[in-house]
Amino acid sequence: MPPMEWFAIIGAGVALLLLVALFVGSGRRHDGGSVPGQFDFDRFKSRELGKRGLHDKTKWG
């Protein structure tokens, strides 16, 4: 094979290794801890739906 083909193959391999390293590195990143306090999902959902002018049809009544 001519040298230019080897250069392209090696370049593609290095690029693939860099992409895999970035993907693995981003998956291992953690922010640290959990959010303190209790989370009220119903209140959050009502607030978010209210911002959009929608009504929650999943609640009873």
Side-chain angles (χ1 to χ4, degrees):
M1 276 195 242
M4 196 62 174
E5 289 181 20
W6 281 108
F7 179 73
I9 292 170
I10 291 172
V14 169
L16 182 63
L17 286 174
L18 285 174
L19 286 174
V20 168
L22 286 173
F23 181 72
V24 169
S26 68
R28 292 187 180 182
R29 189 175 304 144
H30 298 292
D31 291 337
S34 61
V35 177
Q38 302 231 346
F39 182 74
D40 186 1
F41 181 75
D42 287 330
R43 186 173 59 168
F44 171 77
K45 187 169 119 182
S46 296
R47 186 174 62 235
E48 290 297 315
L49 289 174
K51 285 180 187 177
R52 293 164 176 78
L54 303 171
H55 300 286
D56 186 5
K57 296 179 180 179
T58 62
K59 288 190 175 183
W60 296 94

